[in-house]
Amino acid sequence: MNIRKTINKLQSALITKGYIYKINTYQFYSEQQNRMITGYRITEKQPYRKKNGEMSVKDVELLNSCSQVEVLKWFVEKWKKVKESSG
């Protein structure tokens, strides 16, 4: 099973329902494991009010993990909630 492919399908399905979640990846070196590690950060845009009173949007982090399985579980849970609310 290709986890990344399944994540992309769930992400696309959520987009069709109006939920836009971005997946950012980053890498770092782990001295303990002696290898590069890939991290995943899920964000969404949320509105906020600036100090001068103007409205703007910023990316808010919803999940930060080094596990693709954890990212997949997060998207599955979001999809379940969307399906329940839409009937």
Side-chain angles (χ1 to χ4, degrees):
M1 170 162 112
N2 187 337
I3 294 174
R4 183 66 195 184
K5 193 175 200 177
T6 306
I7 291 170
N8 288 345
K9 284 183 180 181
L10 285 166
Q11 184 182 28
S12 295
L14 286 165
I15 287 170
T16 63
K17 298 290 186 178
Y19 297 89
I20 311 297
Y21 300 110
K22 293 192 302 186
I23 305 170
N24 299 313
T25 59
Y26 59 94
Q27 288 186 315
F28 62 94
Y29 183 76
S30 170
E31 295 282 341
Q32 186 180 22
Q33 296 183 25
N34 195 31
R35 66 183 179 102
M36 295 299 290
I37 305 290
T38 300
Y40 305 91
R41 186 176 293 123
I42 300 173
T43 61
E44 77 173 335
K45 291 210 178 284
Q46 292 184 353
Y48 76 101
R49 187 174 304 279
K50 293 181 180 180
K51 289 182 181 179
N52 64 6
E54 291 179 20
M55 291 300 292
S56 188
V57 292
K58 64 180 176 180
D59 283 340
V60 175
E61 185 176 287
L62 304 173
L63 178 73
N64 190 351
S65 175
C66 292
S67 167
Q68 272 191 328
V69 172
E70 201 172 312
V71 171
L72 177 60
K73 287 179 181 178
W74 188 91
F75 272 101
V76 167
E77 283 303 311
K78 284 292 178 187
W79 181 247
K80 283 180 184 177
K81 289 178 184 175
V82 168
K83 290 302 281 181
E84 285 175 7
S85 66
S86 66

